[in-house]
Amino acid sequence: MVDFSLSTEERQIRDTVRAFITKEVMPLEAEVLRNERAGAPAIDRDVLAELRAKARKSGFWGVSTPEEYGGMNLGAVMTAILTMETGRTFVPFTFGGAADNILYHCDEEQKREYLVPTIEGRRRSCFAITEPGAGSDARNIRTRAVRDGDDWVINGEKTFITGGNEADFVMVFAVTDPEKGADGGVTCFLADRDMGWKSEPIPTMGQWGPASLVFDDVRVPARNVLGEVGQGYPLAMRWIGRGRYL
């Protein structure tokens, strides 16, 4: 028989977070609704930064981030519990100090340029695999990346990308070997916005704010491959897997 009850420590952390959400975040709901009706961002970035600073003083920073990067490394169960607690309000609040799980596959240079600044809140990322013709089946992606000297040239479109309008870099998945497809022919690239990709907002209800990303001969240095060439699909499934359980 499996015991699914929370430990004393888990209950204490849950209750602390619940109290924080009730006291500091829920009072902003009326303001969020006013902002949405006015077509403005749901929560001002300075307000969000202030909330995260308060949370950090309470000890909540980098909930699932490894301790070597200053995080709490609470693990999957505790991360899910905290996600449920923040889900008690529609205010789009998340604890700071986090980075996409697949960014930990960066090499040392990439960690300095992408991972650490993202954890510290100085950079914003987005994950781009979904396309107009490849939604539920990611194996059907058509965005192409072709090697040209020391660069890869990317062409294609991604759609319904969360955070795509705000991100300054994207983890974009493109086909690098059409014959292999998902089984060794998809690669993940770290592409800065100033490399040339563009985003367009997709109108939706509420503040989800997804984007369409367009890559038109975007040149990405070979050093910006995340992981290994051809091994992007397993990285994508690792990212999606974490999102599914949360």
Side-chain angles (χ1 to χ4, degrees):
M1 181 173 171
V2 179
D3 182 5
F4 290 103
S5 60
L6 301 181
S7 68
T8 299
E9 180 184 20
E10 288 170 339
R11 286 197 301 272
Q12 290 174 341
I13 294 175
R14 178 202 62 189
D15 293 345
T16 300
V17 172
R18 184 174 296 180
F20 178 85
I21 295 297
T22 301
K23 178 182 178 183
E24 304 290 350
V25 182
M26 284 184 175
L28 298 173
E29 290 181 348
E31 179 181 344
V32 166
L33 289 176
R34 286 193 295 270
N35 289 340
E36 286 187 350
R37 289 167 185 150
I43 184 170
D44 185 83
R45 294 182 70 170
D46 291 337
V47 174
L48 178 59
E50 183 179 345
L51 281 175
R52 286 177 170 171
K54 289 181 180 179
R56 189 170 190 175
K57 285 184 179 179
S58 301
F60 291 95
W61 180 259
V63 173
S64 58
T65 300
E67 294 178 5
E68 62 184 289
Y69 295 100
M72 301 175 72
N73 195 29
L74 292 182
V77 172
M78 203 65 246
T79 299
I81 291 172
L82 267 60
T83 300
M84 286 190 283
E85 293 305 318
T86 57
R88 288 177 175 273
T89 176
F90 56 78
V91 177
F93 170 78
T94 56
F95 293 101
D100 295 277
N101 59 337
I102 62 176
L103 283 180
Y104 292 98
H105 290 269
C106 286
D107 60 30
E108 292 306 311
E109 181 179 351
Q110 292 170 344
K111 286 179 179 179
R112 290 190 295 270
E113 189 172 353
Y114 296 98
L115 174 63
V116 173
T118 300
I119 291 173
E120 294 176 348
R122 294 184 285 112
R123 300 205 69 177
R124 300 182 71 172
S125 67
C126 67
F127 172 90
I129 192 168
T130 303
E131 299 181 3
S136 59
D137 186 358
R139 287 176 173 267
N140 286 330
I141 67 172
R142 295 292 180 265
T143 296
R144 283 281 278 121
V146 178
R147 188 68 183 260
D148 183 22
D150 292 331
D151 298 333
W152 288 86
V153 180
I154 302 177
N155 283 281
E157 180 182 354
K158 301 294 182 179
T159 192
F160 289 110
I161 306 305
T162 302
N165 294 305
E166 299 79 23
D168 64 280
F169 77 93
V170 56
M171 297 165 288
V172 59
F173 293 80
V175 176
T176 48
D177 188 336
E179 293 185 3
K180 293 182 179 178
D183 299 317
V186 174
T187 302
C188 180
F189 298 90
L190 299 168
D192 298 314
R193 185 180 287 270
D194 60 16
M195 291 175 182
W197 57 270
K198 297 185 173 16
S199 64
E200 290 289 340
I202 298 176
T204 59
M205 295 177 65
Q207 281 295 316
W208 176 29
S212 172
L213 308 186
V214 177
F215 296 80
D216 185 7
D217 287 337
V218 174
R219 301 186 74 89
V220 179
R223 61 182 174 82
N224 277 40
V225 169
L226 180 60
E228 299 179 18
V229 173
Q231 298 303 308
Y233 191 74
L235 281 179
M237 294 303 100
R238 186 180 296 258
W239 189 97
I240 291 171
R242 181 177 184 275
R244 282 174 175 161
Y245 84 73
L246 290 178

